[in-house]
Amino acid sequence: MPYDDSVPPTRRARPLLVAAALAALCLTTVAGCGGSPDTTDGTGADASPSVTGTPDATATPTTKASPSPTESLPQGPLTGRTVVIDPGHNPRNREHTKEIDEQVDIGTGRKECDTTGTSTNAGYAEARFTLDVSHRLRELLQAQGARVLLTHDDDRPFGPCIDERARTGNEAKADAVVSVHADGSAVGNRGFHVILPAAVKGGGADTSAIVKSSADLGARIAGHFVRVTGSAPSNYIGGGTGLDTRDDLGGLNLSTVPKVFVECGNMRDPKDAALLTDASWRQKAAQGMADGIAAYLKG
């Protein structure tokens, strides 16, 4: 669930080339890649999820810090490339509601610093999910030689705020930034979707230089996510493409490097929740994202 999800998104159709790219990938993957569109806007997340009950805790991979610039990395196809992973929310945001309610500038207006995120009905917090998947994704990318940075690693009491998250990718001059999330929608709404930045220009926001590259990144991640996880694109957002464009997310508006959000599934649907709480599926989700990122970076 995006951190600044309080304002309904502005839906805009993507260029046909993006849909075609996803369709081409889906043709070689699993059946039923399309999904059926719905008018639900994906709201209804729990504002105060529990951070207890993390499933499969023993299956979580090591959370070692990302290597410093001077530390040697494996040589591989992504050597010399920088990827920033942005784990959505913070497990302790719920203990700092005053701080995360503070407004920050997102270029086209002001939004909350961050939110608590959503959770499954059983209490598995989105923030725990995003950290777990982000750790897995980091290891997969580092194994290919990429320099990988996280915007946070459960190492601060709350946040970072959405503007700081964007700034981390910008200052790293990242080749790609992926913000990891899970949605909090109604039962029956299933599947993943990738959120792309809209063309936004105002205040400190100007996405004109990254709209096309971010769309390419998002389409590649969507196609590989289908192939690896077997999950279909969202049946309630994106018209069956698995792609959605928004102009109200500060993390995208303020980015100057290619960036997307990945909503891996709906935590409030029992069938999706069963996937999201399964360690083996989370590894597949990380692999799908890693493959999509690698495909984008290789061109």
Side-chain angles (χ1 to χ4, degrees), residues 2-7 86 104-114 161-168 170 179 181 195-198 200 202 204-207 210 246-257 259 261:
Y3 2 88
D4 43 354
D5 196 35
S6 58
V7 176
D86 179 25
V104 298
D105 187 0
I106 66 167
T108 56
R110 298 185 69 80
K111 289 294 239 352
E112 296 89 348
C113 159
D114 202 353
C161 294
I162 54 179
D163 55 344
E164 183 182 347
R165 290 171 185 265
R167 193 159 55 247
T168 298
N170 297 344
S179 190
H181 286 268
I195 305 176
L196 315 174
V200 170
D206 184 356
T207 62
I210 67 164
R246 292 180 61 165
D247 63 4
D248 65 312
L249 298 177
L252 296 180
N253 288 357
L254 298 174
S255 184
T256 59
V257 294
K259 182 174 182 178
F261 283 35

mmCIF file of all heavy atoms in Angstrom, residues 2-7 86 104-114 161-168 170 179 181 195-198 200 202 204-207 210 246-257 259 261:
data_model
loop_
_atom_site.group_PDB
_atom_site.id
_atom_site.type_symbol
_atom_site.label_atom_id
_atom_site.label_comp_id
_atom_site.label_asym_id
_atom_site.label_seq_id
_atom_site.Cartn_x
_atom_site.Cartn_y
_atom_site.Cartn_z
ATOM 1 N N PRO A 2 0.751 2.141 -0.950
ATOM 2 C CA PRO A 2 1.616 3.313 -0.999
ATOM 3 C C PRO A 2 1.493 4.163 0.245
ATOM 4 O O PRO A 2 0.421 4.292 0.811
ATOM 5 C CB PRO A 2 1.112 4.072 -2.232
ATOM 6 C CG PRO A 2 0.449 3.049 -3.049
ATOM 7 C CD PRO A 2 -0.150 2.070 -2.078
ATOM 8 N N TYR A 3 2.599 4.794 0.667
ATOM 9 C CA TYR A 3 2.577 5.556 1.903
ATOM 10 C C TYR A 3 1.658 6.761 1.822
ATOM 11 O O TYR A 3 1.061 7.173 2.792
ATOM 12 C CB TYR A 3 3.970 6.035 2.300
ATOM 13 C CG TYR A 3 5.087 5.709 1.391
ATOM 14 C CD1 TYR A 3 5.405 6.548 0.341
ATOM 15 C CD2 TYR A 3 5.823 4.550 1.581
ATOM 16 C CE1 TYR A 3 6.462 6.233 -0.491
ATOM 17 C CE2 TYR A 3 6.875 4.247 0.750
ATOM 18 C CZ TYR A 3 7.192 5.098 -0.279
ATOM 19 O OH TYR A 3 8.226 4.801 -1.110
ATOM 20 N N ASP A 4 1.526 7.430 0.659
ATOM 21 C CA ASP A 4 0.628 8.573 0.548
ATOM 22 C C ASP A 4 -0.584 8.181 -0.283
ATOM 23 O O ASP A 4 -0.837 8.712 -1.338
ATOM 24 C CB ASP A 4 1.343 9.803 -0.014
ATOM 25 C CG ASP A 4 2.257 9.476 -1.179
ATOM 26 O OD1 ASP A 4 2.443 8.306 -1.500
ATOM 27 O OD2 ASP A 4 2.768 10.432 -1.760
ATOM 28 N N ASP A 5 -1.369 7.242 0.263
ATOM 29 C CA ASP A 5 -2.474 6.638 -0.464
ATOM 30 C C ASP A 5 -3.816 7.262 -0.083
ATOM 31 O O ASP A 5 -4.868 6.728 -0.409
ATOM 32 C CB ASP A 5 -2.512 5.133 -0.160
ATOM 33 C CG ASP A 5 -3.360 4.360 -1.151
ATOM 34 O OD1 ASP A 5 -3.359 4.735 -2.325
ATOM 35 O OD2 ASP A 5 -4.010 3.397 -0.723
ATOM 36 N N SER A 6 -3.794 8.393 0.622
ATOM 37 C CA SER A 6 -5.033 8.933 1.156
ATOM 38 C C SER A 6 -5.884 9.634 0.121
ATOM 39 O O SER A 6 -7.069 9.848 0.327
ATOM 40 C CB SER A 6 -4.732 9.912 2.294
ATOM 41 O OG SER A 6 -3.895 10.946 1.829
ATOM 42 N N VAL A 7 -5.303 10.040 -1.011
ATOM 43 C CA VAL A 7 -6.065 10.720 -2.055
ATOM 44 C C VAL A 7 -6.296 9.769 -3.206
ATOM 45 O O VAL A 7 -5.358 9.129 -3.679
ATOM 46 C CB VAL A 7 -5.295 11.966 -2.568
ATOM 47 C CG1 VAL A 7 -6.057 12.616 -3.713
ATOM 48 C CG2 VAL A 7 -5.106 12.950 -1.434
ATOM 49 N N ASP A 86 13.067 0.352 -1.899
ATOM 50 C CA ASP A 86 12.354 1.166 -0.910
ATOM 51 C C ASP A 86 11.293 0.308 -0.224
ATOM 52 O O ASP A 86 10.182 0.160 -0.740
ATOM 53 C CB ASP A 86 11.709 2.357 -1.632
ATOM 54 C CG ASP A 86 10.928 3.261 -0.697
ATOM 55 O OD1 ASP A 86 11.243 3.284 0.505
ATOM 56 O OD2 ASP A 86 9.998 3.938 -1.177
ATOM 57 N N VAL A 104 4.556 16.924 4.343
ATOM 58 C CA VAL A 104 5.775 17.221 3.592
ATOM 59 C C VAL A 104 5.384 17.631 2.173
ATOM 60 O O VAL A 104 4.296 17.307 1.692
ATOM 61 C CB VAL A 104 6.746 16.020 3.560
ATOM 62 C CG1 VAL A 104 7.203 15.650 4.957
ATOM 63 C CG2 VAL A 104 6.104 14.825 2.861
ATOM 64 N N ASP A 105 6.284 18.327 1.518
ATOM 65 C CA ASP A 105 6.037 18.821 0.156
ATOM 66 C C ASP A 105 6.275 17.695 -0.845
ATOM 67 O O ASP A 105 7.318 17.052 -0.831
ATOM 68 C CB ASP A 105 6.986 19.989 -0.119
ATOM 69 C CG ASP A 105 6.701 20.677 -1.453
ATOM 70 O OD1 ASP A 105 5.772 20.249 -2.164
ATOM 71 O OD2 ASP A 105 7.421 21.632 -1.773
ATOM 72 N N ILE A 106 5.303 17.438 -1.721
ATOM 73 C CA ILE A 106 5.491 16.426 -2.773
ATOM 74 C C ILE A 106 5.525 17.081 -4.156
ATOM 75 O O ILE A 106 5.300 16.431 -5.165
ATOM 76 C CB ILE A 106 4.415 15.332 -2.709
ATOM 77 C CG1 ILE A 106 3.023 15.893 -3.024
ATOM 78 C CG2 ILE A 106 4.443 14.631 -1.364
ATOM 79 C CD1 ILE A 106 1.982 14.807 -3.290
ATOM 80 N N GLY A 107 5.782 18.365 -4.191
ATOM 81 C CA GLY A 107 5.906 19.069 -5.472
ATOM 82 C C GLY A 107 4.603 19.653 -5.948
ATOM 83 O O GLY A 107 4.531 20.823 -6.316
ATOM 84 N N THR A 108 3.540 18.853 -5.926
ATOM 85 C CA THR A 108 2.230 19.317 -6.394
ATOM 86 C C THR A 108 1.276 19.576 -5.236
ATOM 87 O O THR A 108 0.091 19.827 -5.453
ATOM 88 C CB THR A 108 1.604 18.263 -7.324
ATOM 89 O OG1 THR A 108 1.533 17.015 -6.630
ATOM 90 C CG2 THR A 108 2.425 18.097 -8.582
ATOM 91 N N GLY A 109 1.773 19.519 -4.033
ATOM 92 C CA GLY A 109 0.946 19.722 -2.848
ATOM 93 C C GLY A 109 1.672 19.190 -1.631
ATOM 94 O O GLY A 109 2.904 19.052 -1.626
ATOM 95 N N ARG A 110 0.917 18.891 -0.585
ATOM 96 C CA ARG A 110 1.507 18.393 0.645
ATOM 97 C C ARG A 110 0.782 17.118 1.068
ATOM 98 O O ARG A 110 -0.427 16.998 0.893
ATOM 99 C CB ARG A 110 1.443 19.443 1.759
ATOM 100 C CG ARG A 110 2.230 20.714 1.414
ATOM 101 C CD ARG A 110 2.257 21.687 2.571
ATOM 102 N NE ARG A 110 3.062 21.217 3.694
ATOM 103 C CZ ARG A 110 4.386 21.295 3.759
ATOM 104 N NH1 ARG A 110 5.079 21.824 2.748
ATOM 105 N NH2 ARG A 110 5.031 20.853 4.823
ATOM 106 N N LYS A 111 1.536 16.179 1.618
ATOM 107 C CA LYS A 111 0.993 14.900 2.069
ATOM 108 C C LYS A 111 1.634 14.505 3.395
ATOM 109 O O LYS A 111 2.654 15.063 3.798
ATOM 110 C CB LYS A 111 1.277 13.795 1.032
ATOM 111 C CG LYS A 111 0.478 13.899 -0.238
ATOM 112 C CD LYS A 111 -0.971 13.676 0.022
ATOM 113 C CE LYS A 111 -1.640 12.566 -0.680
ATOM 114 N NZ LYS A 111 -1.059 11.811 -1.686
ATOM 115 N N GLU A 112 1.058 13.487 4.036
ATOM 116 C CA GLU A 112 1.645 12.971 5.265
ATOM 117 C C GLU A 112 3.055 12.435 5.000
ATOM 118 O O GLU A 112 3.349 11.901 3.945
ATOM 119 C CB GLU A 112 0.784 11.834 5.828
ATOM 120 C CG GLU A 112 -0.601 12.254 6.262
ATOM 121 C CD GLU A 112 -1.623 12.174 5.131
ATOM 122 O OE1 GLU A 112 -1.205 12.017 3.962
ATOM 123 O OE2 GLU A 112 -2.824 12.289 5.424
ATOM 124 N N CYS A 113 3.902 12.579 6.015
ATOM 125 C CA CYS A 113 5.272 12.054 5.937
ATOM 126 C C CYS A 113 5.275 10.587 5.534
ATOM 127 O O CYS A 113 6.043 10.169 4.669
ATOM 128 C CB CYS A 113 5.937 12.230 7.305
ATOM 129 S SG CYS A 113 7.353 11.162 7.634
ATOM 130 N N ASP A 114 4.390 9.800 6.131
ATOM 131 C CA ASP A 114 4.304 8.373 5.851
ATOM 132 C C ASP A 114 2.995 7.881 6.462
ATOM 133 O O ASP A 114 2.264 8.665 7.088
ATOM 134 C CB ASP A 114 5.506 7.633 6.470
ATOM 135 C CG ASP A 114 5.791 6.275 5.816
ATOM 136 O OD1 ASP A 114 4.975 5.844 4.969
ATOM 137 O OD2 ASP A 114 6.811 5.659 6.162
ATOM 138 N N CYS A 161 10.337 9.731 5.675
ATOM 139 C CA CYS A 161 9.230 10.389 5.002
ATOM 140 C C CYS A 161 9.335 10.164 3.494
ATOM 141 O O CYS A 161 10.395 9.834 2.967
ATOM 142 C CB CYS A 161 9.240 11.883 5.295
ATOM 143 S SG CYS A 161 8.929 12.300 7.029
ATOM 144 N N ILE A 162 8.217 10.368 2.821
ATOM 145 C CA ILE A 162 8.168 10.074 1.393
ATOM 146 C C ILE A 162 9.143 10.921 0.578
ATOM 147 O O ILE A 162 9.690 10.447 -0.419
ATOM 148 C CB ILE A 162 6.736 10.220 0.854
ATOM 149 C CG1 ILE A 162 6.165 11.586 1.196
ATOM 150 C CG2 ILE A 162 5.857 9.117 1.409
ATOM 151 C CD1 ILE A 162 4.749 11.803 0.669
ATOM 152 N N ASP A 163 9.380 12.167 1.001
ATOM 153 C CA ASP A 163 10.320 12.999 0.259
ATOM 154 C C ASP A 163 11.755 12.501 0.430
ATOM 155 O O ASP A 163 12.559 12.515 -0.510
ATOM 156 C CB ASP A 163 10.197 14.475 0.645
ATOM 157 C CG ASP A 163 10.337 14.725 2.140
ATOM 158 O OD1 ASP A 163 10.238 13.755 2.936
ATOM 159 O OD2 ASP A 163 10.534 15.898 2.524
ATOM 160 N N GLU A 164 12.071 12.016 1.629
ATOM 161 C CA GLU A 164 13.410 11.475 1.861
ATOM 162 C C GLU A 164 13.615 10.178 1.090
ATOM 163 O O GLU A 164 14.710 9.906 0.579
ATOM 164 C CB GLU A 164 13.640 11.231 3.354
ATOM 165 C CG GLU A 164 15.036 10.727 3.686
ATOM 166 C CD GLU A 164 15.245 10.442 5.158
ATOM 167 O OE1 GLU A 164 14.408 10.861 5.986
ATOM 168 O OE2 GLU A 164 16.254 9.781 5.487
ATOM 169 N N ARG A 165 12.574 9.371 0.983
ATOM 170 C CA ARG A 165 12.675 8.126 0.218
ATOM 171 C C ARG A 165 13.039 8.434 -1.237
ATOM 172 O O ARG A 165 13.896 7.776 -1.832
ATOM 173 C CB ARG A 165 11.359 7.354 0.297
ATOM 174 C CG ARG A 165 11.066 6.751 1.669
ATOM 175 C CD ARG A 165 9.656 6.201 1.746
ATOM 176 N NE ARG A 165 9.316 5.730 3.070
ATOM 177 C CZ ARG A 165 9.416 4.475 3.494
ATOM 178 N NH1 ARG A 165 9.879 3.546 2.656
ATOM 179 N NH2 ARG A 165 9.078 4.133 4.720
ATOM 180 N N ALA A 166 12.365 9.433 -1.802
ATOM 181 C CA ALA A 166 12.678 9.820 -3.180
ATOM 182 C C ALA A 166 14.095 10.369 -3.282
ATOM 183 O O ALA A 166 14.834 10.055 -4.229
ATOM 184 C CB ALA A 166 11.672 10.862 -3.671
ATOM 185 N N ARG A 167 14.479 11.157 -2.296
ATOM 186 C CA ARG A 167 15.806 11.782 -2.319
ATOM 187 C C ARG A 167 16.915 10.731 -2.264
ATOM 188 O O ARG A 167 17.980 10.912 -2.871
ATOM 189 C CB ARG A 167 15.919 12.753 -1.143
ATOM 190 C CG ARG A 167 17.090 13.688 -1.216
ATOM 191 C CD ARG A 167 16.861 14.928 -0.346
ATOM 192 N NE ARG A 167 16.548 14.596 1.046
ATOM 193 C CZ ARG A 167 15.358 14.834 1.621
ATOM 194 N NH1 ARG A 167 14.372 15.383 0.932
ATOM 195 N NH2 ARG A 167 15.154 14.515 2.886
ATOM 196 N N THR A 168 16.689 9.627 -1.565
ATOM 197 C CA THR A 168 17.702 8.576 -1.482
ATOM 198 C C THR A 168 18.050 8.032 -2.860
ATOM 199 O O THR A 168 19.220 7.868 -3.214
ATOM 200 C CB THR A 168 17.213 7.428 -0.574
ATOM 201 O OG1 THR A 168 16.994 7.930 0.748
ATOM 202 C CG2 THR A 168 18.233 6.297 -0.527
ATOM 203 N N ASN A 170 17.495 9.572 -5.736
ATOM 204 C CA ASN A 170 18.055 10.658 -6.550
ATOM 205 C C ASN A 170 19.536 10.871 -6.246
ATOM 206 O O ASN A 170 20.363 10.996 -7.160
ATOM 207 C CB ASN A 170 17.290 11.956 -6.288
ATOM 208 C CG ASN A 170 15.836 11.879 -6.695
ATOM 209 O OD1 ASN A 170 15.433 10.976 -7.431
ATOM 210 N ND2 ASN A 170 15.037 12.823 -6.221
ATOM 211 N N SER A 179 9.884 0.486 -5.175
ATOM 212 C CA SER A 179 9.257 0.587 -3.860
ATOM 213 C C SER A 179 8.334 -0.609 -3.684
ATOM 214 O O SER A 179 7.439 -0.835 -4.488
ATOM 215 C CB SER A 179 8.474 1.899 -3.767
ATOM 216 O OG SER A 179 8.042 2.145 -2.449
ATOM 217 N N HIS A 181 5.503 -2.899 -1.910
ATOM 218 C CA HIS A 181 4.279 -2.715 -1.128
ATOM 219 C C HIS A 181 3.360 -3.919 -1.241
ATOM 220 O O HIS A 181 3.600 -4.845 -2.021
ATOM 221 C CB HIS A 181 3.517 -1.481 -1.622
ATOM 222 C CG HIS A 181 4.139 -0.186 -1.224
ATOM 223 N ND1 HIS A 181 3.802 0.488 -0.076
ATOM 224 C CD2 HIS A 181 5.104 0.558 -1.821
ATOM 225 C CE1 HIS A 181 4.522 1.599 0.013
ATOM 226 N NE2 HIS A 181 5.325 1.658 -1.034
ATOM 227 N N ILE A 195 2.755 0.432 -10.068
ATOM 228 C CA ILE A 195 2.354 1.836 -10.195
ATOM 229 C C ILE A 195 3.467 2.625 -10.869
ATOM 230 O O ILE A 195 4.629 2.590 -10.439
ATOM 231 C CB ILE A 195 2.029 2.455 -8.824
ATOM 232 C CG1 ILE A 195 0.955 1.619 -8.107
ATOM 233 C CG2 ILE A 195 1.550 3.893 -8.982
ATOM 234 C CD1 ILE A 195 0.642 2.094 -6.696
ATOM 235 N N LEU A 196 3.100 3.338 -11.923
ATOM 236 C CA LEU A 196 4.032 4.129 -12.721
ATOM 237 C C LEU A 196 3.816 5.616 -12.463
ATOM 238 O O LEU A 196 2.693 6.042 -12.180
ATOM 239 C CB LEU A 196 3.814 3.850 -14.209
ATOM 240 C CG LEU A 196 3.660 2.392 -14.644
ATOM 241 C CD1 LEU A 196 3.311 2.328 -16.126
ATOM 242 C CD2 LEU A 196 4.924 1.603 -14.345
ATOM 243 N N PRO A 197 4.870 6.433 -12.579
ATOM 244 C CA PRO A 197 4.691 7.874 -12.397
ATOM 245 C C PRO A 197 3.984 8.514 -13.591
ATOM 246 O O PRO A 197 4.290 8.213 -14.743
ATOM 247 C CB PRO A 197 6.126 8.399 -12.270
ATOM 248 C CG PRO A 197 6.959 7.398 -13.005
ATOM 249 C CD PRO A 197 6.282 6.068 -12.813
ATOM 250 N N ALA A 198 3.026 9.397 -13.305
ATOM 251 C CA ALA A 198 2.388 10.192 -14.348
ATOM 252 C C ALA A 198 3.296 11.361 -14.718
ATOM 253 O O ALA A 198 4.291 11.646 -14.030
ATOM 254 C CB ALA A 198 1.041 10.712 -13.857
ATOM 255 N N VAL A 200 4.137 14.749 -14.345
ATOM 256 C CA VAL A 200 3.837 15.743 -13.315
ATOM 257 C C VAL A 200 4.890 16.829 -13.360
ATOM 258 O O VAL A 200 6.087 16.545 -13.424
ATOM 259 C CB VAL A 200 3.813 15.094 -11.913
ATOM 260 C CG1 VAL A 200 3.734 16.152 -10.826
ATOM 261 C CG2 VAL A 200 2.653 14.116 -11.787
ATOM 262 N N GLY A 202 5.360 20.571 -11.281
ATOM 263 C CA GLY A 202 4.845 21.601 -10.392
ATOM 264 C C GLY A 202 5.630 21.607 -9.110
ATOM 265 O O GLY A 202 6.005 20.548 -8.594
ATOM 266 N N GLY A 204 8.388 21.312 -6.684
ATOM 267 C CA GLY A 204 9.667 20.623 -6.812
ATOM 268 C C GLY A 204 9.575 19.323 -7.580
ATOM 269 O O GLY A 204 10.533 18.547 -7.587
ATOM 270 N N ALA A 205 8.446 19.079 -8.235
ATOM 271 C CA ALA A 205 8.264 17.820 -8.957
ATOM 272 C C ALA A 205 8.335 18.033 -10.461
ATOM 273 O O ALA A 205 7.729 18.960 -10.995
ATOM 274 C CB ALA A 205 6.913 17.208 -8.593
ATOM 275 N N ASP A 206 9.069 17.159 -11.124
ATOM 276 C CA ASP A 206 9.128 17.168 -12.586
ATOM 277 C C ASP A 206 9.525 15.770 -13.034
ATOM 278 O O ASP A 206 10.687 15.387 -12.975
ATOM 279 C CB ASP A 206 10.133 18.203 -13.087
ATOM 280 C CG ASP A 206 10.142 18.310 -14.620
ATOM 281 O OD1 ASP A 206 9.418 17.529 -15.276
ATOM 282 O OD2 ASP A 206 10.880 19.163 -15.145
ATOM 283 N N THR A 207 8.539 14.998 -13.481
ATOM 284 C CA THR A 207 8.794 13.614 -13.873
ATOM 285 C C THR A 207 8.999 13.444 -15.373
ATOM 286 O O THR A 207 9.092 12.316 -15.863
ATOM 287 C CB THR A 207 7.623 12.706 -13.440
ATOM 288 O OG1 THR A 207 6.427 13.139 -14.110
ATOM 289 C CG2 THR A 207 7.408 12.752 -11.933
ATOM 290 N N ILE A 210 11.552 10.946 -16.601
ATOM 291 C CA ILE A 210 11.554 9.545 -16.152
ATOM 292 C C ILE A 210 10.271 8.789 -16.490
ATOM 293 O O ILE A 210 10.187 7.596 -16.212
ATOM 294 C CB ILE A 210 11.798 9.447 -14.631
ATOM 295 C CG1 ILE A 210 10.619 10.050 -13.849
ATOM 296 C CG2 ILE A 210 13.114 10.101 -14.251
ATOM 297 C CD1 ILE A 210 10.595 9.645 -12.394
ATOM 298 N N ARG A 246 -0.191 6.965 -11.555
ATOM 299 C CA ARG A 246 -0.701 7.879 -10.530
ATOM 300 C C ARG A 246 0.126 9.157 -10.486
ATOM 301 O O ARG A 246 1.339 9.145 -10.719
ATOM 302 C CB ARG A 246 -0.697 7.197 -9.160
ATOM 303 C CG ARG A 246 -1.709 6.082 -9.074
ATOM 304 C CD ARG A 246 -1.709 5.393 -7.729
ATOM 305 N NE ARG A 246 -2.046 6.288 -6.629
ATOM 306 C CZ ARG A 246 -2.383 5.842 -5.423
ATOM 307 N NH1 ARG A 246 -2.416 4.541 -5.180
ATOM 308 N NH2 ARG A 246 -2.675 6.700 -4.469
ATOM 309 N N ASP A 247 -0.573 10.255 -10.142
ATOM 310 C CA ASP A 247 0.104 11.543 -10.041
ATOM 311 C C ASP A 247 0.061 12.106 -8.623
ATOM 312 O O ASP A 247 0.413 13.262 -8.403
ATOM 313 C CB ASP A 247 -0.520 12.549 -11.017
ATOM 314 C CG ASP A 247 -1.988 12.846 -10.720
ATOM 315 O OD1 ASP A 247 -2.531 12.345 -9.702
ATOM 316 O OD2 ASP A 247 -2.615 13.579 -11.514
ATOM 317 N N ASP A 248 -0.347 11.276 -7.641
ATOM 318 C CA ASP A 248 -0.525 11.773 -6.274
ATOM 319 C C ASP A 248 0.451 11.152 -5.282
ATOM 320 O O ASP A 248 0.290 11.314 -4.075
ATOM 321 C CB ASP A 248 -1.959 11.491 -5.800
ATOM 322 C CG ASP A 248 -2.246 10.001 -5.698
ATOM 323 O OD1 ASP A 248 -1.926 9.267 -6.664
ATOM 324 O OD2 ASP A 248 -2.794 9.567 -4.668
ATOM 325 N N LEU A 249 1.446 10.431 -5.750
ATOM 326 C CA LEU A 249 2.398 9.774 -4.856
ATOM 327 C C LEU A 249 3.717 10.539 -4.827
ATOM 328 O O LEU A 249 4.426 10.628 -5.836
ATOM 329 C CB LEU A 249 2.641 8.330 -5.306
ATOM 330 C CG LEU A 249 1.408 7.421 -5.298
ATOM 331 C CD1 LEU A 249 1.764 6.036 -5.824
ATOM 332 C CD2 LEU A 249 0.807 7.320 -3.906
ATOM 333 N N GLY A 250 4.051 11.068 -3.669
ATOM 334 C CA GLY A 250 5.263 11.855 -3.550
ATOM 335 C C GLY A 250 6.519 11.083 -3.889
ATOM 336 O O GLY A 250 7.475 11.633 -4.435
ATOM 337 N N GLY A 251 6.532 9.794 -3.573
ATOM 338 C CA GLY A 251 7.700 8.981 -3.877
ATOM 339 C C GLY A 251 8.003 8.892 -5.354
ATOM 340 O O GLY A 251 9.156 8.717 -5.752
ATOM 341 N N LEU A 252 6.966 9.024 -6.186
ATOM 342 C CA LEU A 252 7.154 9.048 -7.641
ATOM 343 C C LEU A 252 7.321 10.474 -8.153
ATOM 344 O O LEU A 252 8.189 10.749 -8.986
ATOM 345 C CB LEU A 252 5.971 8.385 -8.340
ATOM 346 C CG LEU A 252 5.754 6.891 -8.068
ATOM 347 C CD1 LEU A 252 4.534 6.386 -8.826
ATOM 348 C CD2 LEU A 252 6.986 6.075 -8.435
ATOM 349 N N ASN A 253 6.489 11.382 -7.668
ATOM 350 C CA ASN A 253 6.535 12.770 -8.141
ATOM 351 C C ASN A 253 7.910 13.396 -7.981
ATOM 352 O O ASN A 253 8.357 14.175 -8.829
ATOM 353 C CB ASN A 253 5.523 13.632 -7.384
ATOM 354 C CG ASN A 253 4.093 13.347 -7.762
ATOM 355 O OD1 ASN A 253 3.822 12.534 -8.638
ATOM 356 N ND2 ASN A 253 3.164 14.022 -7.100
ATOM 357 N N LEU A 254 8.577 13.078 -6.863
ATOM 358 C CA LEU A 254 9.849 13.735 -6.541
ATOM 359 C C LEU A 254 11.069 12.976 -7.059
ATOM 360 O O LEU A 254 12.193 13.426 -6.866
ATOM 361 C CB LEU A 254 9.965 13.907 -5.022
ATOM 362 C CG LEU A 254 8.892 14.797 -4.380
ATOM 363 C CD1 LEU A 254 9.027 14.764 -2.862
ATOM 364 C CD2 LEU A 254 8.988 16.232 -4.897
ATOM 365 N N SER A 255 10.835 11.859 -7.722
ATOM 366 C CA SER A 255 11.967 11.078 -8.227
ATOM 367 C C SER A 255 12.516 11.691 -9.508
ATOM 368 O O SER A 255 11.766 12.125 -10.388
ATOM 369 C CB SER A 255 11.539 9.631 -8.494
ATOM 370 O OG SER A 255 12.643 8.853 -8.901
ATOM 371 N N THR A 256 13.832 11.681 -9.627
ATOM 372 C CA THR A 256 14.492 12.131 -10.853
ATOM 373 C C THR A 256 15.169 10.967 -11.570
ATOM 374 O O THR A 256 15.875 11.167 -12.558
ATOM 375 C CB THR A 256 15.541 13.213 -10.541
ATOM 376 O OG1 THR A 256 16.515 12.692 -9.627
ATOM 377 C CG2 THR A 256 14.886 14.450 -9.931
ATOM 378 N N VAL A 257 14.955 9.759 -11.042
ATOM 379 C CA VAL A 257 15.488 8.536 -11.650
ATOM 380 C C VAL A 257 14.337 7.559 -11.855
ATOM 381 O O VAL A 257 13.296 7.682 -11.208
ATOM 382 C CB VAL A 257 16.587 7.906 -10.755
ATOM 383 C CG1 VAL A 257 17.808 8.810 -10.688
ATOM 384 C CG2 VAL A 257 16.051 7.618 -9.358
ATOM 385 N N LYS A 259 11.602 5.009 -11.520
ATOM 386 C CA LYS A 259 11.080 4.464 -10.272
ATOM 387 C C LYS A 259 9.660 3.954 -10.460
ATOM 388 O O LYS A 259 8.864 4.550 -11.174
ATOM 389 C CB LYS A 259 11.099 5.521 -9.163
ATOM 390 C CG LYS A 259 10.616 5.003 -7.800
ATOM 391 C CD LYS A 259 10.797 6.053 -6.711
ATOM 392 C CE LYS A 259 10.359 5.502 -5.359
ATOM 393 N NZ LYS A 259 10.573 6.490 -4.267
ATOM 394 N N PHE A 261 6.382 1.621 -8.078
ATOM 395 C CA PHE A 261 5.911 0.917 -6.889
ATOM 396 C C PHE A 261 5.388 -0.442 -7.345
ATOM 397 O O PHE A 261 4.735 -0.525 -8.387
ATOM 398 C CB PHE A 261 4.738 1.654 -6.227
ATOM 399 C CG PHE A 261 5.094 2.871 -5.419
ATOM 400 C CD1 PHE A 261 6.117 3.718 -5.778
ATOM 401 C CD2 PHE A 261 4.338 3.175 -4.304
ATOM 402 C CE1 PHE A 261 6.407 4.850 -5.051
ATOM 403 C CE2 PHE A 261 4.611 4.312 -3.559
ATOM 404 C CZ PHE A 261 5.652 5.149 -3.918
#
